[in-house]
Amino acid sequence: METAAIAADGAGKAGIRFRLLGPLAGWAGGQGLALGRRQQQAFLAMLIAAPGRVLTTGRLGDGIFDEDNPPGNPKSVLATHAYRVRRELRNHAVGHLLVTVDGGYRLDVPAEALDFVAFDRLVTRSAEALAAGERPRARDLLADALALHEGEPLAGLPGRHAAELRRHLTERRLDALETKLGLDVELGSGPSCLVELDQAVFAHPFRERFRALLMLEYHLSGRPAEARAVYEDARRFYLGEGLTCADLDALHRRILRSDPGLATAARPAAARPAAADERPTGPAPAVPEQLPTRLPDFTGRRADIVRLTDALSHPDPGAVVISAINGLGGVGKTSLAVHVGHTLRARFPDGRLHVDLRGAQPVPLDPGEALAGFLTALGVADRDIPADLAERAALFRTTVTGRRLLVLLDNAATPEQVAPLLPGSRTCAVLVTSRGWLTTLPGARHLPLDAMTADEALDLLAAVVGRARIDAEPEAAAAIVTACGCLPLAVRVAGSRLAADPAQSLAELAANLADERTRLGELTHEQAAVEPVLALSYARLTEEQARALRLLALPDAPDLGPADAAVLLDRGPAETRELLDALVDLNLLQSPAADRYGFHDLLKVFARQRDGDTPAAVTAAFARLLDFCVASARNAENAAHRDPDGHGFASIEEATAWMRERTALHRAVIQRACRDDGLSLARTVDLLDKMSSVLFGRGYVTTVADLAGQVAAAAMSRGERDAEALARSVRGGMLWHANSYAEAGEELRGCLALCDGPDRLRLRADTLKLLGANARALRDFEQAVLCLEEAAELFHRQGDESGEGLVLGELAFNHAQCGRLDQARAAAERCVELTGRQISIPESIGRYYLARVLHLCGDLGPALEQAEHVVERFRSFGMLAFEAATGSLITRIHLAAGRDRATVRAAEEALPKARQVGGLLEGGLLRALGEALTRLGHTDRARICLQQALGHYRQLELAGDAAEVEELLGLLP
């Protein structure tokens, strides 16, 4: 075949190939490329379609972005796409092919490596052969060209460019297909020609040429009745659309008079067809009723029912309506389809066909067997059913032409199994259910079915058990549906158990289901069970897919990213992406957002209980994940604190956002390490330290503090003194951020006692810094100075300028509180000098410290300038505590300057954030607000604010602050 030569030639050029004639794909050196998400693929497709040409960012943006909802910074998004594509190409030693040019990008891929170029060249050669009279060779060249198409061009890609190119490539294919089928009819290709023509008419009902060729092929094959049926069906279709079919009318007249001009040298003329009054008559066609019985207690799914009934009630003018429902086993696909089928009974008076295609079984039903059952139900005698699958499919489509039939194809395995079972008449409709996505099923409208909502699941449980029992134990009922993951099958099984045993309380069953280890065993009743249903899907996985499912289910995290999965699986990015996409297509993984992958709760439980991985293999998988998390967290810390460039993060904001998003996964890994002696606690506490360095805000502080306590306990039990010391230091720091000063002091002093060697000087310095901050919060400023001066000396001895600078900033505030203003100013200015090398978290904190000291020194203008400079930085970094603290400082500066209205505005702006951080900040803001309101004459509101501030100070046991507020309250009229 000449395509093979073209493909070989293309593969030899830089070892790269791309496919546009189907879902976008690429290969380098024989290995598949991981092309990323859909918009990134659309970006690459534009460059592939214009090889060697520069495309400007404006043109690229117009081509791939939604014109009604473009990104805020299109050039930045395009740059990200280019970076990721180039990174993947670089992984295969062809990164040089993607070139960044001023104002755009160019892909230097050879034309020989592109399938659409090969297609065009083969079509051109075919035309040359046809002109030379080489008709068989012309047909073969077109067949080679058409074989390059592997589905809808650029299937699923968004954007105007992909849509326009898809239309163009599809039209080119159809033109070639028309020419090739015309040659088939002319030269005589036997039954295969009829099958191809029948499929072409089915897929493209508006193309009159396909119908004409099908009529002609039937005529030349001596089958006049079928030729006439094609014509009559076409005439009904076109008249229904308000169109004419003059060419078909003319062909029909030529066939009726046996025009000898229709014959060719290879195809002699057929006998004249029977006249209309010679057609045989027979009994009225059978009306099959094959739908299973509708569930009497079917509940929920209102939006899905509306969507399906609307689609099936309004036929597509161009083709049969196909609605494909996919979802996890037990999610209720068949129940929904059957319910909708019965609901639409009046819409399809000519019958309802149903077949279980056994797609989840080891050996799915053969489509030929399903067709035989359909044809029998439609009244076709056994002797008239052809043995050949293609001929059975053609007879089925002919038999149902013009009938208003609903076909339910339940539990389908693949699109290839479904395709022969699709009727060709637009008066019919098809419902397909499958566990996986049937993405290549032509013309299908896909409905992914997820678990029920909690309310729907409770309604289903009530339908099975009885509303009175649900109302009697509402909390237990909610716990049951939660344990079932709102999976309809699981809820129904749980309800059946309760219905069978009226004496059993819902609370008892909820308690039994709470234990993950026995949950699946509890979800069994008579012949119904959840585990065997999930096992059917698991049994159809390849060994590699099954291993991936088991390992991906291990972390107690809601979802994972592709990089996390690659580390867990110990596989490369491309192979990992292929595994993830395959499991998503099978509905064994969920993808709630781009590059995020998670499990249904029950499926995660199921996967964890499968055999196949030794304890050592599981520990090794977690060890890889732990190492990856530590390395990535270190990069995030570097970006946030020291070097925002060159460490895998484009900005401080990206680094802090990434760390926040990873909290659940980091928690899962840390908790696993505390239970698994095979995992390093030293690495674990390193990860914990990075989390504490970047994450701020009450929720994160509590999480990190709890995790630090678990690590400290595990380290103590294993005798790992260094890990215990660092864990206690982290916990003390987080407790301080949570305003738990007494607990923080106890934890930090315990850590200091462990920092007794020369190898622990850095940890000792960090702990002394925290102890100083803790003393300052308790208003013991002289004790704070003692701790902070020792910490500053230790950081200085180690050459850590950032650490020394931050300690000096804290020290400056305490000097000012002790009245040593000159020392305070000098320390604050030195803090900014040491931390201000570049924009970073330490630099911003240093400026905050300087503003705080300038305020205490009475330099209100410079203090306000510094504070307003950094408050936006803290907001963009996600550092809620520092953002709130800076807002509080701005409020106090305005108050000191006598700007009472500005004080009120600043306090009201900062209060919502302070409430998320802790009582100390909130108390200070309420106090300042109360003072400003007093001076503005709003004494009632001022009293409320001061009373709330007093409550916070008393709760924190800050007697000095409480006394000052009591004095202010006493001055109110």
Side-chain angles (χ1 to χ4, degrees):
M1 292 177 64
E2 297 189 38
T3 27
I6 291 172
D9 186 29
K13 302 278 188 176
I16 192 84
R17 288 191 298 120
F18 286 106
R19 179 182 70 202
L20 296 189
L21 303 180
L24 182 68
W27 298 265
Q31 293 185 320
L33 300 175
L35 301 182
R37 307 301 285 181
R38 294 193 309 155
Q39 192 181 86
Q40 181 177 310
Q41 290 189 35
F43 166 81
L44 177 59
M46 281 195 73
L47 296 172
I48 295 171
R53 301 208 307 268
V54 175
L55 299 185
T56 65
T57 54
R59 183 175 175 184
L60 286 163
D62 289 343
I64 72 171
F65 297 137
D66 182 353
E67 60 183 348
D68 295 325
N69 187 28
N73 189 343
K75 289 185 178 180
S76 175
V77 175
L78 291 172
T80 300
H81 291 330
Y83 165 76
R84 290 174 175 168
V85 170
R86 187 179 289 114
R87 180 178 60 189
E88 177 60 16
L89 294 175
R90 193 179 295 123
N91 290 339
H92 297 270
V94 288
H96 62 282
L97 295 180
L98 180 55
V99 181
T100 302
V101 185
D102 286 344
Y105 301 93
R106 184 182 74 238
L107 188 68
D108 290 335
V109 61
E112 293 78 10
L114 305 175
D115 62 347
F116 66 93
V117 173
F119 177 88
D120 288 343
R121 289 178 178 178
L122 286 166
V123 170
T124 300
R125 292 177 190 176
S126 173
E128 292 169 351
L130 195 58
E134 301 175 12
R135 307 182 91 72
R137 182 168 179 268
R139 177 180 62 182
D140 292 343
L141 286 166
L142 287 172
D144 289 349
L146 292 165
L148 292 172
H149 277 264
E150 300 183 49
E152 183 182 44
L154 306 178
L157 295 195
R160 185 172 63 184
H161 172 268
E164 292 174 352
L165 184 57
R166 185 180 300 119
R167 283 193 293 270
H168 169 73
L169 295 176
T170 299
E171 194 65 28
R172 290 278 293 156
R173 173 186 174 274
L174 293 176
D175 290 343
L177 181 61
E178 280 188 355
T179 304
K180 185 258 183 189
L181 290 174
L183 289 168
D184 282 341
V185 172
E186 179 183 343
L187 297 171
S189 297
S192 63
C193 178
L194 275 174
V195 172
E196 279 197 78
L197 282 167
D198 186 73
Q199 291 172 342
V201 170
F202 170 60
H204 309 285
F206 282 98
R207 291 186 80 104
E208 193 174 341
R209 176 66 174 156
F210 286 141
R211 296 182 188 268
L213 288 171
L214 183 58
M215 287 172 61
L216 184 58
E217 177 64 22
Y218 275 129
H219 167 67
L220 295 175
S221 300
R223 299 166 67 174
E226 285 92 335
R228 185 168 55 251
V230 172
Y231 170 68
E232 291 173 351
D233 181 60
R235 188 168 176 79
R236 280 194 301 270
F237 173 78
Y238 288 124
L239 289 176
E241 297 299 322
L243 302 172
T244 61
C245 51
D247 291 343
L248 291 181
D249 291 338
L251 176 61
H252 179 60
R253 288 191 295 271
R254 294 181 68 188
I255 291 174
L256 287 177
R257 66 174 182 264
S258 298
D259 186 342
L262 295 176
T264 68
R267 306 292 299 276
R272 178 184 176 276
D277 57 3
E278 298 173 20
R279 297 176 197 167
T281 60
V287 179
E289 288 284 3
Q290 295 186 335
L291 288 185
T293 304
R294 178 170 18 191
L295 289 174
D297 53 7
F298 182 90
T299 57
R301 305 296 194 191
R302 292 182 180 85
D304 298 318
I305 292 170
V306 168
R307 180 176 170 183
L308 288 170
T309 53
D310 183 65
L312 296 170
S313 300
H314 299 86
D316 187 322
V320 62
V321 174
I322 306 168
S323 292
I325 309 170
N326 66 80
L328 177 67
V331 81
K333 303 179 294 295
T334 298
S335 299
L336 174 62
V338 169
H339 182 84
V340 169
H342 282 285
T343 301
L344 294 173
R345 179 186 178 88
R347 176 73 193 171
F348 300 99
D350 295 329
R352 284 148 295 282
L353 296 170
H354 170 267
V355 64
D356 180 358
L357 294 174
R358 303 200 294 265
Q361 299 294 332
V363 181
L365 183 69
D366 183 86
E369 185 178 343
L371 281 169
F374 282 172
L375 289 167
T376 299
L378 291 166
V380 178
D382 289 348
R383 64 179 180 276
D384 295 330
I385 298 176
D388 180 72
L389 174 62
E391 293 187 3
R392 280 190 188 183
L395 179 58
F396 171 63
R397 285 193 284 271
T398 301
T399 303
V400 302
T401 295
R403 296 197 194 184
R404 296 168 66 185
L405 277 169
L406 177 66
V407 183
L408 172 50
L409 305 176
D410 196 15
N411 200 10
T414 64
E416 292 73 23
Q417 183 193 33
V418 170
L421 307 177
L422 299 177
S425 175
R426 68 189 185 96
T427 58
C428 299
V430 182
L431 264 174
V432 187
T433 73
S434 64
R435 296 197 176 199
W437 282 79
L438 304 177
T439 50
T440 59
L441 189 62
R445 304 176 185 181
H446 297 279
L447 175 64
L449 198 62
D450 205 348
M452 287 179 151
T453 66
D455 288 342
E456 287 178 330
L458 283 170
D459 286 342
L460 175 58
L461 186 64
V464 179
V465 176
R467 177 61 65 181
R469 292 179 71 180
I470 301 300
D471 291 343
E473 297 182 80
E475 293 182 0
I480 289 171
V481 299
T482 299
C484 292
C486 295
L487 190 72
L489 174 62
V491 174
R492 189 173 290 280
V493 170
S496 297
R497 289 193 56 175
L498 291 167
D501 184 3
Q504 183 181 26
S505 69
L506 273 67
E508 180 183 350
L509 180 58
N512 293 340
L513 292 173
D515 188 343
E516 179 181 298
R517 295 168 298 180
T518 59
R519 185 176 302 163
L520 291 175
E522 291 288 331
L523 290 173
T524 302
H525 179 69
E526 296 181 351
Q527 301 302 313
V530 172
E531 188 168 8
V533 172
L534 300 179
L536 286 173
S537 294
Y538 182 74
R540 292 183 60 83
L541 298 179
T542 66
E543 184 176 339
E544 189 70 6
Q545 290 170 341
R547 173 183 177 271
L549 191 77
R550 295 192 303 270
L551 292 180
L552 293 173
L554 291 175
D556 284 318
D559 54 38
L560 299 169
D564 308 317
V567 170
L568 266 173
L569 302 180
D570 200 19
R571 297 291 184 266
E575 187 176 356
T576 299
R577 177 74 71 175
E578 185 177 340
L579 285 167
L580 292 171
D581 289 345
L583 292 172
V584 168
D585 287 344
L586 294 169
N587 281 302
L588 295 176
L589 273 185
Q590 300 167 340
S591 185
D595 285 340
R596 306 308 303 169
Y597 300 90
F599 283 85
H600 182 275
D601 291 345
L602 285 179
L603 186 57
K604 177 176 279 192
V605 172
F606 172 85
R608 287 175 174 175
Q609 294 178 359
R610 298 310 94 190
D611 295 329
D613 304 297
T614 65
V618 172
T619 295
F622 269 106
R624 293 191 298 270
L625 184 58
L626 174 59
D627 287 344
F628 174 71
C629 288
V630 171
S632 301
R634 184 177 293 119
N635 289 344
E637 184 190 41
N638 286 335
H641 286 268
R642 287 181 281 278
D643 181 6
D645 299 316
H647 287 278
F649 294 95
S651 66
I652 300 170
E653 292 85 352
E654 182 183 337
T656 53
W658 179 88
M659 191 70 94
R660 288 195 298 272
E661 292 168 0
R662 305 277 294 185
T663 301
L665 178 60
H666 289 168
R667 178 174 57 234
V669 173
I670 289 168
Q671 290 176 333
R672 174 77 188 200
C674 291
R675 301 192 304 269
D676 190 336
D677 290 348
L679 295 174
S680 167
L681 282 182
R683 300 287 285 162
T684 303
V685 78
D686 193 10
L687 174 59
L688 193 66
D689 185 41
K690 302 301 177 284
M691 292 175 70
S692 72
S693 176
V694 177
L695 294 176
F696 298 90
R698 182 176 292 179
Y700 298 112
V701 163
T702 302
T703 296
V704 176
D706 290 344
L707 289 172
Q710 295 175 43
V711 174
M716 181 184 296
S717 68
R718 298 184 200 177
E720 296 189 28
R721 188 180 178 93
D722 287 347
E724 180 191 353
L726 181 52
R728 297 191 72 171
S729 175
V730 169
R731 177 169 168 77
M734 293 297 100
L735 289 170
W736 178 82
H737 278 293
N739 299 332
S740 300
Y741 304 120
E743 286 184 81
E746 181 181 349
E747 201 71 60
L748 292 169
R749 285 187 290 273
C751 172
L752 203 61
L754 296 170
C755 300
D756 53 0
D759 295 336
R760 302 189 181 100
L761 291 181
R762 171 57 192 260
L763 181 56
R764 182 175 182 85
D766 283 331
T767 305
L768 285 166
K769 178 181 71 174
L770 289 169
L771 277 169
N774 203 58
R776 183 256 302 163
L778 295 171
R779 303 183 70 82
D780 190 349
F781 302 118
E782 293 294 357
Q783 178 61 35
V785 168
L786 291 175
C787 293
L788 294 167
E789 285 180 337
E790 182 181 351
E793 173 60 23
L794 289 173
F795 279 121
H796 181 75
R797 282 164 53 188
Q798 296 171 80
D800 186 343
E801 291 187 346
S802 178
E804 180 185 357
L806 291 177
V807 170
L808 289 174
E810 183 67 46
L811 179 62
F813 179 81
N814 288 279
H815 275 315
Q817 290 289 356
C818 295
R820 297 186 286 270
L821 298 183
D822 291 340
Q823 287 179 265
R825 186 188 293 269
E829 290 172 349
R830 179 59 176 161
C831 163
V832 171
E833 182 181 341
L834 291 173
T835 60
R837 311 294 189 196
Q838 58 193 338
I839 295 175
S840 64
I841 288 177
E843 180 265 350
S844 301
I845 294 174
R847 288 186 177 275
Y848 163 72
Y849 284 152
L850 177 60
R852 194 166 58 168
V853 168
L854 290 173
H855 164 237
L856 293 174
C857 291
D859 294 340
L860 302 183
L864 184 61
E865 181 181 352
Q866 292 288 345
E868 290 180 338
H869 181 74
V870 296
V871 69
E872 289 300 327
R873 293 250 198 94
F874 290 136
R875 183 175 297 123
S876 67
F877 297 163
M879 298 175 65
L880 185 65
F882 276 99
E883 181 189 352
T886 309
S888 177
L889 176 59
I890 291 171
T891 299
R892 295 197 307 275
I893 292 170
H894 283 308
L895 183 67
R899 295 187 289 267
D900 295 325
R901 297 192 183 279
T903 300
V904 171
R905 285 195 300 271
E908 289 178 339
E909 181 179 349
L911 266 172
K913 299 174 181 64
R915 290 191 177 104
Q916 298 178 58
V917 174
L920 183 60
L921 272 176
E922 187 178 355
L925 278 166
L926 288 167
R927 172 179 172 172
L929 181 57
E931 290 186 60
L933 290 170
T934 299
R935 295 202 298 230
L936 290 170
H938 303 299
T939 55
D940 290 341
R941 190 178 167 205
R943 180 176 288 103
I944 293 172
C945 292
L946 292 172
Q947 287 172 341
Q948 290 175 345
L950 179 61
H952 284 297
Y953 290 141
R954 285 175 173 170
Q955 185 177 1
L956 294 170
E957 298 180 358
L958 298 175
D961 290 292
E964 291 173 3
V965 173
E966 287 175 340
E967 183 178 347
L968 291 172
L969 281 167
L971 297 175
L972 290 176

